[in-house]
Amino acid sequence: MPALQPQSQIISLEQYEALPEDIRAEVFEGQIYYMASPSQIHQSILLELSTLLNFYVKSRKGDCKVFPAPFDVKLSDNPLTIVQPDIMTVCDKDKLDENRCNGAPDFIIEIVSPGNPSDDYIRKAYYYKNYGVREYWIVDPKRRLVTVNYFEGDLLNLQYSFEATIKVNIYDDLYINFFDIAGLLNI
């Protein structure tokens, strides 16, 4: 996916909501950034991880909900900041309305696209940490690495290879085996 392209004018929530449904965009401090469609490997990883998370949440009959992209997260009204994480888990149902999650999800996974790795590693890490996301993973298929940021526990930038089994820190008993995922997807 090529780098996000900013536009020069500040956008309002009403203007953002008026965008055509086929337009993928995020807003950081009122500045809109258009996004390209994700790759096949990106979508394959997204499907595997969101399926695992959703199965876990449903099997525990928990209050959390798992959402794959595109689903908006409004982190701030002023300045307007709206993101579309690749995968998110929201445990506070009061944050959800018909259109979006209003406030920080509990857990976010972003899958790095070759054209904009700094967006996930720098920009989104900054916003997710400062707006209250509890845990944030960056899955990098090109480098075959998963970077875990458990903000709630002050564990930052822990890197694991795709051969590792990684604990989801917001849960007591959820581990994701990336070796199995990589094997299924031949990556």
Side-chain angles (χ1 to χ4, degrees):
M1 183 181 318
L4 298 176
Q5 297 299 314
Q7 302 301 305
S8 59
Q9 93 181 59
I10 300 298
I11 191 169
S12 69
L13 179 59
E14 293 76 24
Q15 290 169 313
Y16 177 80
E17 289 176 335
L19 291 172
E21 282 194 31
D22 63 335
I23 299 293
R24 296 190 66 231
E26 294 180 311
V27 180
F28 294 93
E29 298 186 17
Q31 186 73 48
I32 191 165
Y33 292 80
Y34 293 100
M35 301 182 298
S37 295
S39 68
Q40 178 268 333
I41 193 68
H42 182 283
Q43 291 302 91
S44 296
I45 293 170
L46 182 144
L47 179 61
E48 290 298 323
L49 290 173
S50 58
T51 299
L52 285 169
L53 287 168
N54 197 47
F55 177 78
Y56 174 84
V57 167
K58 283 186 167 194
S59 71
R60 301 302 186 274
K61 297 180 176 44
D63 291 330
C64 301
K65 295 277 188 187
V66 177
F67 297 95
F71 190 72
D72 289 344
V73 174
K74 184 171 61 166
L75 294 173
S76 173
D77 286 307
N78 192 13
L80 184 62
T81 301
I82 297 175
V83 293
Q84 289 186 357
D86 289 321
I87 305 168
M88 71 175 126
T89 302
V90 180
C91 298
D92 180 353
K93 291 182 182 177
D94 291 338
K95 291 182 178 180
L96 298 170
D97 63 27
E98 291 180 23
N99 300 315
R100 68 184 58 87
C101 174
N102 297 287
D106 294 271
F107 180 45
I108 289 178
I109 298 174
E110 293 285 6
I111 302 161
V112 175
S113 299
N116 67 337
S118 65
D119 192 55
D120 295 322
Y121 284 104
I122 299 169
R123 182 197 326 248
K124 288 187 178 181
Y126 169 82
Y127 282 94
Y128 293 161
K129 181 175 193 265
N130 289 313
Y131 281 100
V133 171
R134 295 170 59 199
E135 185 166 359
Y136 171 45
W137 287 17
I138 304 165
V139 177
D140 191 331
K142 184 176 180 182
R143 295 173 56 210
R144 296 180 49 85
L145 288 174
V146 179
T147 303
V148 173
N149 292 284
Y150 180 41
F151 300 129
E152 190 174 75
D154 285 329
L155 299 174
L156 304 177
N157 296 314
L158 301 175
Q159 293 193 332
Y160 299 90
S161 75
F162 271 24
E163 285 74 41
T165 298
I166 308 168
K167 183 178 188 322
V168 178
N169 293 288
I170 67 165
Y171 296 113
D172 292 332
D173 60 349
L174 177 57
Y175 295 83
I176 295 178
N177 184 332
F178 270 84
F179 183 78
D180 287 348
I181 292 171
L184 284 171
L185 301 176
N186 295 318
I187 51 175

